Amino acid sequence: MNIPPYNKRPDMGRLREIVRVMGKYHFGNILEAIGLKNRLFESLKLYIKSPEEIHEPAPVRLRLVLEELGTTFIKLGQVLSTRADLVGREIADELAKLQDEAPPFPFRDVRRVIESELGMPLEDIFSEFQEEPVASASIGQVHRARLKSGEAVAVKVQRPGIAATVKSDIILMKYLAKLANDRIPGLEYYNLPGIVAEFERAIRKELDYHQEANNAERFRAMFLDDETVYAPYVYREYSTSRVLTMEYVEGVKLTEILESDIKFNARTIAERGARCYFKQIFIHGFFHADPHPGNILVQKGNVLCFLDFGMMGHLDRSFRDKLAELFILLMNYDVNGIVNQLRYMNILTEDTDLEEVKYDIMDLLDRYYGADVKKVGEILTEFTMPEMIMKHRIRIPRDFVLLARVMSMAEDLGERLDPRFNGLEVAWEMTYSLMRKRLNPLRNLDEVPSALIELEHIMNDLPRGMIRALQRLEEGKLKMELEHRNLDEISRRIERSTNRISVAMLVSALIIGSSLVAIPKEALILQKFPFLGLFGFAVSFLIALALIISIIKSRKMT
């Protein structure tokens, strides 16, 4: 999806709609701050609810604004719900309630999209196709069908025109983000244009069903040998960027289990869910980033089946190893170890006061530690709050924030299934197992091929790099960039000190010379009196006096 940059002209009709909805929910102060209450909107009659009609706090009103503005803004809210480090815990929790639901679009449009994408009539692909969707969202809807070969499938079809709507809204978001970033003091820290750019990447992936198919296949391969976790099979020959055909899976959604008296082994489900998530995070570094109960089915035998692979998180091997170490330190209440580990993970910066952050971590752990610790996800989420980030000048990797949110959601889900369940028992077992494997000397053999490749690159590049550097040095084209701070002031001070040392040396020389001349045997004596020696002493005295006065004045000035 090619989304134009923010400097393209925004849709003024849509902009008026945004202003109307924001005014309706009493966000007029924001409109005024970014300069949208100008003559262009004076004639726009806003329906603004009276204070008596609105009793909800700002986070709730923000959610209502996004819901009313539709698809793109709902998706933006869902992305921001994973960034508590930017919007704060209260807003993130409220935005997590956004439901991506929309009225279904007509079957004739479904047929047109499928036949256009797959290049053949619907009847030549499916022996059965239910016209009523089993689920309908803002980007697409899902229909149950049966292939000619007999397999039951779920066909996800993208809503017609949704890509164009998203493009238009992205242009508006970039326009508004730049206005707010330029005109509201203090917002530079949040980098609103950067947030919109991150959202653009996320929704670009969600609009491309090829990406979701790749995610589903990778997840399925991860748990192919695990009888407790399942992922549907993707029928690639019947999938495109706008149509996704997957195996239809029978099961009961976790939402139904939580809200009804359906008999399942809740403790088994909670334990398997915890093992599944820790395996995704620590072993594979590829995890399902939306563990909403509606995205997880429970099949016979308490088998967990994951759905909707549009949002996934990624962690590289080095970060996973450090994360496992951090978990062990958290569970052991090792504050000094936690601080050091956060430094190794490049989360603490040079500007961080290590003593201050240590005391804040102690306070944070004390809030959660007791007879039974269950909330590591909560601890990580608290650490990624804006207050901590700004106070200690720490930098949080995006996937670390996403990981904290996912773990927190998984912990809450496990607790709702079984209040007695403690997922950290699973985490403890798995992280220690990973650490034992990591300390195994044979583990390093896996890294030999990549190390040899890197060594080969260095051996190939080093001679060429040295030759280029020598050529530039010979030609006088070698450039060096130095960053200096307050060097002018340092130079002035060095110059003053050097001058004073020079004058002091001169005075010393004059004194010594005058002393020698004043000796009767060596002096030029006029009537037996060493006038030349006394003259040298007088000059030395005056220069020394001037030097002392200069030093006193410079101290007063500084």
Side-chain angles (χ1 to χ4, degrees), residues 334-347:
D334 185 348
V335 178
N336 288 323
I338 292 169
V339 171
N340 289 331
Q341 190 66 15
L342 292 173
R343 291 175 63 193
Y344 299 147
M345 297 171 78
N346 292 321
I347 290 174

Side-chain angles (χ1 to χ4, degrees), residues 82-108:
T82 69
R83 298 301 307 268
D85 59 313
L86 295 176
V87 299
R89 182 63 178 274
E90 188 178 1
I91 292 178
D93 287 345
E94 188 62 36
L95 295 182
K97 299 175 184 176
L98 283 166
Q99 297 298 313
D100 186 16
E101 298 176 353
F105 54 93
F107 177 69
R108 62 177 179 274

Side-chain angles (χ1 to χ4, degrees), residues 176-388:
L176 294 172
K178 188 173 188 304
L179 277 181
N181 202 63
D182 292 345
R183 299 188 181 187
I184 301 180
L187 280 186
E188 298 89 351
Y189 165 78
Y190 294 98
N191 186 16
L192 297 183
I195 294 174
V196 174
E198 180 181 319
F199 166 68
E200 181 183 345
R201 288 192 296 272
I203 200 167
R204 187 192 298 271
K205 292 178 182 179
E206 195 162 350
L207 285 167
D208 183 4
Y209 287 171
H210 278 311
Q211 182 66 52
E212 185 172 349
N214 292 340
N215 293 340
E217 288 181 335
R218 182 176 175 182
F219 191 92
R220 178 180 170 85
M222 283 163 41
F223 292 96
L224 204 56
D225 298 328
D226 191 332
E227 297 180 352
T228 66
V229 180
Y230 191 77
Y233 176 78
V234 177
Y235 291 87
R236 281 284 190 174
E237 61 272 33
Y238 304 117
S239 299
T240 69
S241 62
R242 298 178 64 204
V243 175
L244 178 61
T245 304
M246 304 178 73
E247 173 188 2
Y248 187 88
V249 180
E250 299 284 355
V252 181
K253 287 186 177 182
L254 266 183
T255 47
E256 297 178 36
I257 294 176
L258 292 168
E259 296 169 1
S260 66
D261 296 328
I262 300 176
K263 297 299 181 183
F264 277 90
N265 191 325
R267 185 171 182 81
T268 298
I269 295 172
E271 183 176 338
R272 288 181 175 180
R275 287 186 180 279
C276 172
Y277 260 98
F278 283 117
K279 188 175 180 181
Q280 292 175 54
I281 292 166
F282 290 114
I283 296 178
H284 300 289
F286 182 72
F287 58 93
H288 193 285
D290 191 15
H292 187 275
N295 289 334
I296 303 174
L297 295 179
V298 181
Q299 299 177 289
K300 290 182 179 179
N302 297 307
V303 175
L304 301 181
C305 177
F306 285 77
L307 307 173
D308 193 350
F309 299 90
M311 187 184 295
M312 306 295 291
H314 302 261
L315 301 171
D316 63 38
R317 180 171 176 175
S318 174
F319 194 85
R320 296 198 305 270
D321 288 344
K322 292 173 183 175
L323 188 66
E325 294 168 358
L326 179 63
F327 265 63
I328 292 174
L329 294 168
L330 281 169
M331 289 183 279
N332 283 327
Y333 199 101
D334 185 348
V335 178
N336 288 323
I338 292 169
V339 171
N340 289 331
Q341 190 66 15
L342 292 173
R343 291 175 63 193
Y344 299 147
M345 297 171 78
N346 292 321
I347 290 174
L348 301 184
T349 67
E350 295 178 357
D351 297 325
T352 304
D353 186 323
L354 298 183
E355 286 299 315
E356 283 293 322
V357 79
K358 181 170 75 172
Y359 286 120
D360 276 355
I361 289 174
M362 289 174 64
D363 291 341
L364 178 60
L365 295 180
D366 287 341
R367 290 205 299 272
Y368 289 95
Y369 272 73
D372 194 15
V373 187
K374 300 181 180 181
K375 296 288 186 179
V376 167
E378 290 284 338
I379 294 172
L380 295 180
T381 301
E382 288 278 350
F383 190 72
T384 60
M385 290 297 101
E387 297 80 9
M388 289 285 284

